[in-house]
Amino acid sequence: MEIGFLGLGIMGKAMSMNLIKKGFKVTVWNRTLSRCDELVEMGASVGETPAAVVKKCKITIAMVSDPAAALSVVFDKDGVLEEISSGKGYVDMSTVDPETSSKISEAITSKGGSFVEAPVSGSKQPAEAALLVILAAGDKALYEEAIPAFNAMGKKSFYLGPIGNGARMKLVVNMIMGRYAHCSFLATSLNPKMRQYSNLLMSDCHLGAIATPMFKGKGPNMIKSNFSPAFPLKHQQKDMRLALALGDENAVSMPIAAAANEVKKSETPALPISLSSTASHSSFCALITDVTQFEMSSKIRSRT
């Protein structure tokens, strides 16, 4: 089976590489076409437009940054909608809100195509190791047809029924992750005088009730001040914002998530980095560390 793949960012690049490694023929597209070069070296073909990819492939997967990009790749000139037709499937693995997913689904099915939303749980390392968790909803037949591709990119896939359920589940997962990440970053920087005992903090967290793979994976990097990007902060803040909108839609109050979202979207010009559109998830950890240590030092100075 030949798979089309649209979007070669941090996640899409790793996911499409895993498809190639598992023996799939893959045709790729990215807005900046030079990003396709590494995939071509692995054996991929390049489509000049999303429409060209869809025309060539029975199933096309998209992994783009946000709802605006997801809509653009479908509805813009030379987009998916120009070539989707009966017998072709479109799988959007981007993290978007249910309304965006529904709009795409209606457009695809109106042209005779089939549609599945399949956002993923996991960031750069799980994507590279093919350990993503895939939260799918929509056309059941297309989901089953796409399972071999899902298996090449992830460790488990779930079918959640009608369109919108996959998007909702992903937003809930990322809301929990965003809140947990915030608390984890604070914990590692809470007391600079205790940093020599940071490894003991890691051990305690791993052995106790709060043990999670996320803290196990990111904790050592926090201690070493290794803030290389794995998940762009602008994308996490976007997910928190969409999760809060989902809470509003269902009349569910989420004050802790709202507070975490405010921190993630704020800017702090007095410090070395700000939470701008180019900051990474790991940069947030660096910022929290700097803020905490700055505030604690200021308090200590004010008392002397």
Side-chain angles (χ1 to χ4, degrees), residues 194-208 215 223:
M194 291 288 288
R195 290 192 69 80
Q196 60 181 310
Y197 301 110
S198 294
N199 286 326
L200 293 180
L201 171 64
M202 295 294 108
S203 297
D204 182 44
C205 290
H206 295 163
L207 294 171
F215 199 47
I223 292 173

Side-chain angles (χ1 to χ4, degrees), residues 10-19 21-22 42 120-134 149-156 230:
I10 290 175
M11 298 294 289
K13 177 181 175 182
M15 294 161 68
S16 56
M17 282 182 170
N18 282 327
L19 287 170
K21 290 174 184 176
K22 291 295 184 178
M42 294 180 65
V120 302
S121 179
S123 57
K124 181 181 179 182
Q125 290 182 354
E128 291 173 343
L131 294 176
L132 297 170
V133 177
I134 296 160
F150 290 158
N151 290 342
M153 297 182 286
K155 61 182 177 180
K156 182 70 176 179

